[in-house]
Amino acid sequence: MNELALNDISVTARILGAAFYYSPDQVPDIIELLASGEWVSDWHYGSEEQKQAIATEMAVVQRDDETLDEAYQRLFIGPYALPSPPWGSVWLDKENVLFGESTLQLREWMQANQIDIHLTQNEPEDHFGLLMMMVAWVAEHQPEKLAELLGKHILPWGLLYLEKMQEKGNSPFYVGLSKLAHLTLVAWQDSMNIEVDKKLIFYR
């Protein structure tokens, strides 16, 4: 994969990761960029029609009954059940738990490949936003490991997570964000010809 393609992956993965992982008040510049639609011409995944439709959706950062910060709280924090939990092991573990077997497998893979995302607290490494930021890091430092990271630890559940978020998210911005992440992941899978591990999905 050439340097330009790797740079595209790094930049887009970092933007997606920050938008999924951090609350809107922590990454106002990212939110402003995505809501403005100014990213469309520089985002090299998906058709112009798809991207313009997503940009229109993401421009709605606040509904009459819910701010974007409130939407983030509802979708990623709780206290009520999350419409689409962003952790891999919730989807891949029989008990739908955090820090499940798939999280431990990811942690072992990270240790074997000397990948450290410098978590500031004890939290699962398989949060979708963290994994997108890990894609950016791997694209920059160990690009030969990209297909393995995506095929073994993200794609087996990530597309289903994003589809559920589109179906249940009920926030124009985050539904649009999930559509953007979905078409980006599919483009990565196609361009790298990634073989995706077949894993049982236990979350419905």
Side-chain angles (χ1 to χ4, degrees):
M1 183 171 292
N2 64 43
E3 189 173 338
L4 189 60
L6 288 170
N7 184 66
D8 277 346
I9 291 172
S10 173
V11 171
T12 53
R14 204 169 291 284
I15 290 170
L16 290 172
F20 274 97
Y21 184 68
Y22 295 109
S23 63
D25 63 339
Q26 290 178 292
V27 287
D29 292 347
I30 297 285
I31 302 300
E32 184 179 351
L33 170 68
L34 291 170
S36 73
E38 292 177 3
W39 53 270
V40 169
S41 60
D42 295 320
W43 203 278
H44 300 146
Y45 313 112
S47 68
E48 288 301 306
E49 185 178 10
Q50 286 174 310
K51 291 184 289 185
Q52 288 292 351
I54 289 169
T56 299
E57 197 162 14
M58 294 179 74
V60 184
V61 294
Q62 182 166 332
R63 299 186 332 210
D64 291 340
D65 60 339
E66 185 180 59
T67 67
L68 195 60
D69 286 297
E70 289 169 341
Y72 176 86
Q73 180 79 25
R74 174 174 58 82
L75 294 170
F76 296 97
I77 307 297
Y80 305 111
L82 305 185
S84 185
W87 301 278
S89 69
V90 175
W91 294 80
L92 300 173
D93 191 279
K94 284 183 181 179
E95 306 300 323
N96 307 131
V97 295
L98 298 178
F99 294 104
E101 180 61 30
S102 63
T103 313
L104 301 180
Q105 291 170 359
L106 171 64
R107 188 175 291 175
E108 290 171 2
W109 182 85
M110 290 170 62
Q111 290 171 347
N113 292 287
Q114 299 179 316
I115 296 169
D116 185 358
I117 53 175
H118 303 293
L119 297 176
T120 57
Q121 55 192 3
N122 184 30
E123 60 179 320
E125 292 89 341
D126 60 349
H127 185 289
F128 185 80
L130 283 176
L131 286 167
M132 287 297 97
M133 288 188 274
M134 197 184 304
V135 167
W137 189 95
V138 171
E140 293 162 9
H141 300 282
Q142 296 188 42
E144 72 280 1
K145 294 293 181 181
L146 261 179
E148 194 174 348
L149 171 59
L150 287 160
K152 290 182 178 297
H153 301 289
I154 299 176
L155 287 167
W157 67 277
L159 296 178
L160 292 171
Y161 158 69
L162 295 168
E163 288 164 8
K164 179 76 81 171
M165 181 70 93
Q166 292 170 44
E167 179 187 346
K168 303 286 188 181
N170 198 29
S171 161
F173 179 85
Y174 283 111
V175 168
L177 180 66
S178 299
K179 291 177 181 178
L180 182 60
H182 193 285
L183 69 83
T184 301
L185 273 178
V186 169
W188 292 344
Q189 181 181 354
D190 290 345
S191 66
M192 287 183 261
N193 196 24
I194 295 171
E195 186 173 338
V196 180
D197 279 15
K198 290 180 171 58
K199 297 185 179 182
L200 291 175
I201 300 295
F202 293 97
Y203 183 82
R204 296 293 181 217

